[in-house]
Amino acid sequence: MSFVIQPQWWLQVCILGVGATLILDAWWWLLKRMFSVASLDFRLVGRWLGHMPAGRFRHAAIGSTPAVRGELWLGWGFHYVTGIAFAAGFVSIAGEQWLHSPRFLPALVFGVTTVVLPFFIMQPCLGAGVAASKLPSPWRARLKSLVTHSVFGLGLYLSALLHLG
């Protein structure tokens, strides 16, 4: 039995991932404008990625790590590539039929589940500790991450309804 992914599948997954990420970005924009809540600084994500070719994957405090050229664009690019990768993972799990008949609950559950990646990979590597344990307000950061990933799940669903349905 072979598994072949058709080009149409990739196009749908890219639309889904970019759409969900745009919805997440719109959420962050609203939070910033209405409540002065800052979102993730993608310069720091780009800085983290920019130091990887030199073999540096973990930082005591990414904000104190020297800047790298193009870190803002690198961070934003990674943000959208991650959205597409998450969409591909979701559709692989939910099945291609979900694209034609999207349901909210599977998308939300998947979005919430993806919070394990920042909790156990990204935050420790940026110097924030496991699940933001080294930050001044770890529970606030955890809640923010959980809401963010929930909004991404909602974004998967809405993007499917708007673009693929």
Side-chain angles (χ1 to χ4, degrees), residues 70-165:
E71 62 186 24
L72 179 63
W73 293 106
L74 187 58
W76 273 99
F78 182 75
H79 173 56
Y80 276 85
V81 167
T82 300
I84 293 168
F86 279 175
F90 174 66
V91 173
S92 295
I93 293 167
E96 192 171 347
Q97 71 278 3
W98 185 90
L99 291 170
H100 307 291
S101 181
R103 293 187 347 240
F104 174 66
L105 191 57
L108 178 64
V109 169
F110 182 82
V112 169
T113 303
T114 62
V115 82
V116 301
L117 295 171
F119 278 4
F120 296 103
I121 296 173
M122 190 170 221
Q123 290 170 357
C125 287
L126 296 178
V130 171
S133 61
K134 293 183 180 179
L135 295 182
S137 301
W139 282 103
R140 183 170 187 245
R142 291 171 189 146
L143 180 61
K144 210 169 151 183
S145 291
L146 186 60
V147 169
T148 292
H149 285 257
S150 298
V151 169
F152 180 80
L154 171 65
L156 287 171
Y157 175 71
L158 293 176
S159 184
L161 287 180
L162 294 171
H163 301 292
L164 303 173

Side-chain angles (χ1 to χ4, degrees), residues 5-64:
I5 297 174
Q6 300 297 324
Q8 181 65 22
W9 185 91
W10 278 111
L11 177 62
Q12 290 176 327
V13 162
C14 286
I15 290 169
L16 188 66
V18 169
T21 306
L22 284 169
I23 289 168
L24 176 60
D25 291 343
W27 168 256
W28 281 338
W29 183 83
L30 282 172
L31 285 178
K32 185 174 183 178
R33 295 286 178 244
M34 295 176 73
F35 304 105
S36 299
V37 174
S39 67
L40 178 61
D41 184 349
F42 288 103
R43 287 178 310 116
L44 301 178
V45 174
R47 187 173 301 172
W48 174 51
L49 296 168
H51 283 276
M52 287 182 183
R56 188 160 183 208
F57 297 90
R58 293 180 62 96
H59 303 265
I62 194 67
S64 301

